[in-house]
């Protein structure tokens, strides 16, 4: 008897989106991690995304209308969840199956606001991302080298389905390390303001490390860091942004920062700094500038108010030998949530990179 497939239900984003629950054993053996996988399946075909700021012509799906382009898996940032429908529509309009995962204790998978986003090791996310990949691979078996449907191949034994892995902010750091640990499962890596380095660079990271060593004794200790809603103000349609961000799924001031979590971030950033030599082509998108001041300014609607983009840009040199860096004037921390003209420019650069590195030969 064949095992039952996942149960997909209509997602909160509407009828073109479905979601399913993933459960994997927790690394500490205390139970299960619950995450949520979301997919975009448009009712019609050939429709261009509404919010990219431009029209993106749909791409051919291959002979007989079968899907032959690699699927996309998106990983959100810390305290966040997936809601950027325009990003999904960009990829599906080009013929890429699109999926996004709400990691455990985030967004749709949030079990505890007080401990929201807490992990003691970013490797805690590995199993749920792998479970998502396995589900996607089962639905879209695409050959790694030739991008041909599985039924056209004589033998696919041991051939993985490579995904286009997309990560934002902390999700970009998680995606980077997951690609490092599972290089055969990632064909291309797209990083949107990835948190590859602490503000101020390696010297600040080294100086901060002793401050979080007490995490071994008090991992849940809440650290004293500024709690600001500047980023939320720039994206939410309840403030100055354009996006319907659910406060119950993405709190305006983010989750509490705890010592054990900060230690996990610094360890992950040190792993990146040591040099990863990732084999796949990588695209990194950043704002052209940061504004990290303590007082709100309308100029923050045109800058990264979360991370130091200069430190991030320098750290991209540690990723691999095929890295494309795009600095976008006026972009927010989440580049694809920026104002219309800036968003259009970001999608244009993404389109250009994908034509060079992701699209199969004509």
């Amino acid at each position: 008897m064949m095992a039952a497939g996942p149960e997909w239900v209509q997602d909160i984003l509407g009828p073109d989106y479905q979601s399913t629950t993933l459960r994997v054993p927790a690394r500490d053996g205390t139970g299960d991690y619950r995450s949520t996988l979301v997919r975009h399946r448009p009712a019609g075909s050939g429709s261009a995304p509404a919010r990219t700021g431009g029209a993106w012509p749909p791409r051919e799906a291959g002979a007989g209308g079968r899907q032959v382009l690699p699927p996309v898996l998106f990983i959100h940032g810390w305290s966040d969840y997936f809601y950027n429908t325009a990003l999904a529509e960009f990829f599906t309009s080009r013929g890429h199956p699109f999926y996004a995962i709400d990691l455990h204790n985030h967004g749709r998978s949030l079990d505890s606001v007080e401990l929201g986003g807490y992990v003691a090791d970013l490797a805690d996310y590995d199993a749920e991302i792998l479970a998502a990949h396995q589900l996607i691979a089962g639905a879209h078996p695409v050959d790694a080298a030739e991008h041909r449907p599985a039924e056209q191949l004589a033998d696919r034994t041991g051939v993985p389905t490579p995904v286009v892995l997309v990560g934002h902010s902390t999700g970009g750091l998680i995606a980077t390390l997951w690609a490092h640990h599972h290089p055969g499962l990632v064909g291309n890596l797209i990083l949107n303001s990835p948190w590859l380095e602490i503000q101020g660079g390696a010297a600040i990271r080294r100086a901060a490390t002793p401050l979080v060593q007490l995490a071994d004794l008090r991992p849940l200790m809440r650290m004293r860091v500024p709690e600001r809603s500047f980023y939320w103000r720039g994206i939410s349609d309840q403030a100055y942004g354009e996006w319907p961000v659910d406060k119950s799924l993405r709190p305006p001031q983010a989750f509490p920062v705890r010592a054990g979590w900060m230690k996990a971030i610094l360890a992950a950033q040190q792993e990146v700094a040591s040099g990863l030599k990732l084999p796949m082509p990588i695209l990194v998108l950043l704002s052209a500038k940061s504004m990290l001041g303590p007082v709100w300014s309308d100029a923050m609607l045109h800058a990264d108010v979360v991370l130091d983009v200069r430190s991030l840009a320098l750290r991209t040199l540690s990723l691999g030998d095929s890295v494309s860096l795009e600095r976008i004037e006026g972009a927010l921390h989440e580049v694809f949530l920026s104002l219309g003209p800036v968003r259009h420019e970001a999608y244009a650069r993404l389109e250009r990179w994908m034509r060079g590195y992701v699209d199969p030969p004509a």
Side-chain angles (χ1 to χ4, degrees), residues 8 11-13 16-20 22 36-40 72-74 82 98-102 108 136:
W8 293 95
D11 187 65
I12 57 176
L13 296 177
D16 286 353
Y17 293 84
Q18 299 87 42
S19 58
T20 190
L22 304 175
T36 307
L37 189 64
V38 181
R39 69 182 182 188
H40 179 227
V72 174
L73 176 59
F74 172 83
F82 172 69
F98 180 88
Y99 294 80
I101 186 171
D102 278 13
R108 298 166 180 81
I136 295 167

Side-chain angles (χ1 to χ4, degrees), residues 95-131:
H96 295 269
F98 180 88
Y99 294 80
I101 186 171
D102 278 13
L103 298 168
H104 75 267
N105 224 6
H106 284 84
R108 298 166 180 81
S109 313
L110 185 61
D111 292 321
S112 166
V113 175
E114 185 61 20
L115 291 177
Y118 179 80
V119 290
D121 191 325
L122 294 193
D124 284 0
Y125 296 121
D126 281 5
E128 61 205 84
I129 299 172
L130 182 59

Side-chain angles (χ1 to χ4, degrees), residues 8 14 46 66 126 130 134 150 172 177 197 212 220 261 263-264 277 299 313 319 322 333-334 350 357:
W8 293 95
R66 292 173 297 187
D126 281 5
L130 182 59
Q134 290 173 340
L177 294 182
E197 183 60 277
V212 297
L220 298 182
W261 177 82
K263 182 178 179 181
K277 299 186 183 301
L319 295 177
S322 180
H333 174 57
E334 214 294 18
L350 173 58
Y357 288 99

Side-chain angles (χ1 to χ4, degrees), residues 159-196:
V159 178
T161 294
V163 298
V164 178
L165 190 60
V166 184
H168 168 240
S169 194
T170 305
L173 178 59
I174 295 167
T176 297
L177 294 182
W178 199 84
H180 179 51
H181 301 150
H182 303 85
L185 303 184
V186 180
N188 304 86
L189 183 62
I190 299 173
L191 303 175
N192 178 353
S193 303
W195 197 15
L196 303 177

Side-chain angles (χ1 to χ4, degrees), residues 103-298:
L103 298 168
H104 75 267
N105 224 6
H106 284 84
R108 298 166 180 81
S109 313
L110 185 61
D111 292 321
S112 166
V113 175
E114 185 61 20
L115 291 177
Y118 179 80
V119 290
D121 191 325
L122 294 193
D124 284 0
Y125 296 121
D126 281 5
E128 61 205 84
I129 299 172
L130 182 59
H133 179 275
Q134 290 173 340
L135 193 155
I136 295 167
H140 310 281
V142 181
D143 180 68
E146 302 179 61
H147 296 291
R148 289 190 292 161
E151 60 266 30
Q152 292 184 2
L153 301 175
D155 181 13
R156 277 186 46 84
T157 303
V159 178
T161 294
V163 298
V164 178
L165 190 60
V166 184
H168 168 240
S169 194
T170 305
L173 178 59
I174 295 167
T176 297
L177 294 182
W178 199 84
H180 179 51
H181 301 150
H182 303 85
L185 303 184
V186 180
N188 304 86
L189 183 62
I190 299 173
L191 303 175
N192 178 353
S193 303
W195 197 15
L196 303 177
E197 183 60 277
I198 201 77
Q199 283 86 326
I204 299 300
R205 173 163 40 78
R206 288 191 293 269
T209 299
L211 300 180
V212 297
Q213 293 303 317
L214 49 81
D216 294 334
L217 298 176
R218 300 179 60 192
L220 298 182
M221 185 188 72
R222 191 163 177 169
M223 300 184 70
R224 294 182 179 180
V225 297
E227 295 183 358
R228 304 187 181 113
S229 61
F230 295 169
Y231 173 61
W232 180 86
R233 293 187 205 181
I235 61 175
S236 174
D237 60 4
Q238 298 178 54
Y240 304 109
E242 302 178 19
W243 304 90
V245 184
D246 188 329
K247 290 183 180 180
S248 68
L249 301 181
R250 201 285 172 201
Q253 293 185 330
F255 297 138
V257 175
R258 301 189 181 278
W261 177 82
M262 195 66 232
K263 182 178 179 181
I265 294 294
L266 293 175
Q269 291 174 340
Q270 176 58 45
E271 185 175 353
V272 174
S274 67
L276 300 183
K277 299 186 183 301
L278 294 174
M280 71 287 297
I282 304 165
L283 172 64
V284 179
L285 300 115
L286 299 174
S287 178
K289 65 179 179 181
S290 294
M291 292 191 67
L292 305 176
V295 180
W296 171 260
S297 164
D298 286 347

